[in-house]
Amino acid sequence: MTDLKSMSLPELTQWMLDHGEKKFRARQLYGWMHEKQVSSYDEMTDLPVRLRENLEGEGALVCLKTQVVQVSRLDGTRKYLFRLADGNDIESVFMPYRHGNSVCISSQVGCSMGCSFCASTIGGKLRNLCASEMLDQVYRIKKDIGERISNVVVMGTGEPLDNYDNLLKFIRMLTGEGGLHLSQRNVTVSTCGLADRIRALAEEKLQITLALSLHAPNDEIRRQLMPVAYRYSIEEVLDACRYYFACTGRRVTFEYSLCKGVNDRREHAAQLGSMLKGWNAHINLIPVNPVRERRYLRSSRREVDEFKNELEKYGNNVTIRREMGADIDGACGQLRSRYRKRDVT
Ligand code: SAH
């Protein structure tokens, strides 16, 4: 079966020609899938019935099935559990911000990076998502809320740079003409720091924002939290980030999840501050979201504020991530893992 929804317009055009169809049919089909985001071939009313039947036989139209929607009564955050065609579940989040509607998507089913505070990695990685499955998370949510989506962040389950080719395809289709046509500046990709892939991404010369999950002021602590730190030292990752900035002119954002007693002390803030001095960096502090299977506790509000104050002494721009959807399964992968457990028991 062919995944027509993962094809770029030139690929789809070639596919139509190979199947004896006129070129303009590709543009029509692409429009139905990516601009109107319909969920079946039947709805593509200006395609001849014969062609619609052929399409049905050639490849199922990738369309995620909504299993669960949790809506926060506090701030309108909506958390979705979607079922893929192979029966796997993934989760995505909708956040209505003052500056626009934002969608956070997953890039893999599970994750193999093994960060010790994260729920997404508990069952390991099952597989990569294809471009259509990443796009359809945005499309289904847009249809559900009936409003424009202005920002997309690839910060859900999975390591996006471990699914590089599909990620790039997704970004190009999300931001290209004939689809949602989002500005690349409104797309953020978060990585645990695969330095080689950061360098490759830099050379694609996209205008997206790269967020680096740093989470530690030195390699020793980073290795406790993130196994990937054994593969790449902080210095190697920061070098790759410098290269990203040099190639794209886009500043890298740093994410730092505060785990009580592990990486949240004043001396950690000082070490981090001096390491990033001169970067004019944006550092986003995230009080860790406690996960049942993990042992980490959230730093107190006072500890977070003190950490921020110390960091700012080094000329960094520091924000504390506003917690969204505190009354629903908040942390990455929690909805999926809870649901899976419920299935088993
Ligand atoms: N693999 C990518 C993107 C997915 S995770 C990455 O590592 O960046 C998105 C962000 O949430 C990362 O910064 C990750 O470290 C963080 N995160 C994961 N679990 C968390 C938790 N329980 N509390 C706070 N932040 C968490």
Side-chain angles (χ1 to χ4, degrees):
M1 284 277 199
T2 316
D3 177 11
L4 296 166
K5 208 171 183 171
S6 284
M7 286 187 186
S8 66
L9 186 54
E11 285 168 344
L12 204 55
T13 305
Q14 191 55 52
W15 188 90
M16 283 291 178
L17 294 173
D18 291 346
H19 285 73
E21 298 290 341
K22 296 255 167 42
K23 217 173 140 179
F24 76 96
R25 296 293 182 201
R27 191 168 284 279
Q28 282 180 310
L29 175 57
Y30 195 89
W32 282 111
M33 291 190 291
H34 301 289
E35 201 174 317
K36 302 195 189 78
Q37 300 113 22
V38 300
S39 50
S40 69
Y41 292 121
D42 284 346
E43 294 164 74
M44 304 181 181
T45 45
D46 60 1
L47 297 185
V49 175
R50 170 195 53 78
L51 174 57
R52 278 187 256 160
E53 282 168 4
N54 286 351
L55 290 171
E56 200 83 58
E58 280 289 339
L61 185 66
V62 167
C63 190
L64 308 182
K65 262 180 57 197
T66 307
Q67 296 289 103
V68 180
V69 188
Q70 294 181 331
V71 183
S72 166
R73 281 197 216 101
L74 301 175
D75 53 33
T77 295
R78 297 167 79 86
K79 193 143 195 177
Y80 293 81
L81 190 75
F82 291 119
R83 170 102 359 134
L84 305 169
D86 65 0
N88 278 310
D89 290 332
I90 52 169
E91 56 182 276
S92 324
V93 188
F94 167 77
M95 291 159 291
Y97 285 121
R98 230 167 297 132
H99 60 266
N101 289 326
S102 195
V103 169
C104 172
I105 67 148
S106 294
S107 56
Q108 296 178 318
V109 183
C111 182
S112 62
M113 294 297 134
C115 296
S116 60
F117 47 81
C118 179
S120 296
T121 199
I122 289 168
K125 175 176 88 175
L126 298 184
R127 70 170 174 89
N128 285 329
L129 295 184
C130 42
S132 57
E133 291 166 329
M134 289 189 254
L135 287 165
D136 212 50
Q137 295 173 59
V138 184
Y139 297 169
R140 285 314 114 213
I141 292 178
K142 176 178 177 282
K143 285 277 178 190
D144 186 40
I145 58 160
E147 288 178 26
R148 220 174 77 93
I149 303 296
S150 48
N151 296 283
V152 170
V153 297
V154 189
M155 274 194 195
T157 298
E159 168 49 45
L161 299 189
D162 182 40
N163 183 14
Y164 189 85
D165 293 343
N166 292 333
L167 175 79
L168 276 205
K169 199 153 214 209
F170 160 74
I171 294 170
R172 295 210 163 101
M173 290 170 79
L174 183 71
T175 60
E177 279 176 34
L180 286 187
H181 203 20
L182 249 72
S183 161
Q184 287 188 351
R185 289 170 175 260
N186 293 348
V187 177
T188 299
V189 170
S190 177
T191 177
C192 64
L194 302 177
D196 299 339
R197 296 281 167 81
I198 293 176
R199 286 177 178 274
L201 186 66
E203 289 172 5
E204 310 280 350
K205 300 237 169 14
L206 298 171
Q207 283 298 297
I208 59 169
T209 301
L210 183 68
L212 175 73
S213 298
L214 186 55
H215 303 324
N218 57 50
D219 285 324
E220 199 192 329
I221 297 179
R222 197 159 193 264
R223 285 176 187 154
Q224 281 174 37
L225 295 170
M226 310 173 74
V228 71
Y230 285 101
R231 251 159 91 188
Y232 302 101
S233 67
I234 291 183
E235 200 180 308
E236 284 171 293
V237 182
L238 290 184
D239 263 352
C241 291
R242 272 190 207 97
Y243 186 66
Y244 188 86
F245 179 64
C247 291
T248 63
R250 303 283 296 156
R251 263 178 212 295
V252 176
T253 300
F254 296 96
E255 290 162 276
Y256 195 102
S257 296
L258 289 159
C259 306
K260 198 179 184 69
V262 178
N263 64 354
D264 67 344
R265 303 225 172 92
R266 182 185 289 258
E267 68 257 28
H268 298 146
Q271 199 179 4
L272 179 67
S274 53
M275 185 164 76
L276 296 179
K277 199 173 162 71
W279 276 72
N280 192 11
H282 173 212
I283 305 165
N284 197 12
L285 300 178
I286 313 156
V288 80
N289 230 319
V291 174
R292 209 190 312 123
E293 296 84 346
R294 305 304 205 196
R295 61 182 180 278
Y296 297 105
L297 298 175
R298 163 179 296 221
S299 311
S300 68
R301 183 71 211 196
R302 191 174 54 80
E303 286 160 333
V304 176
D305 286 340
E306 280 175 11
F307 197 92
K308 177 173 188 278
N309 291 342
E310 183 67 29
L311 257 183
E312 280 171 341
K313 289 184 193 158
Y314 297 82
N316 296 301
N317 170 20
V318 187
T319 52
I320 299 173
R321 183 175 298 168
R322 190 155 64 91
E323 196 181 4
M324 301 286 283
D327 54 337
I328 54 178
D329 292 302
C332 306
Q334 279 194 329
L335 175 58
R336 177 172 163 261
S337 63
R338 228 175 54 135
Y339 203 74
R340 274 164 82 205
K341 270 212 200 72
R342 211 185 292 151
D343 269 352
V344 175
T345 49

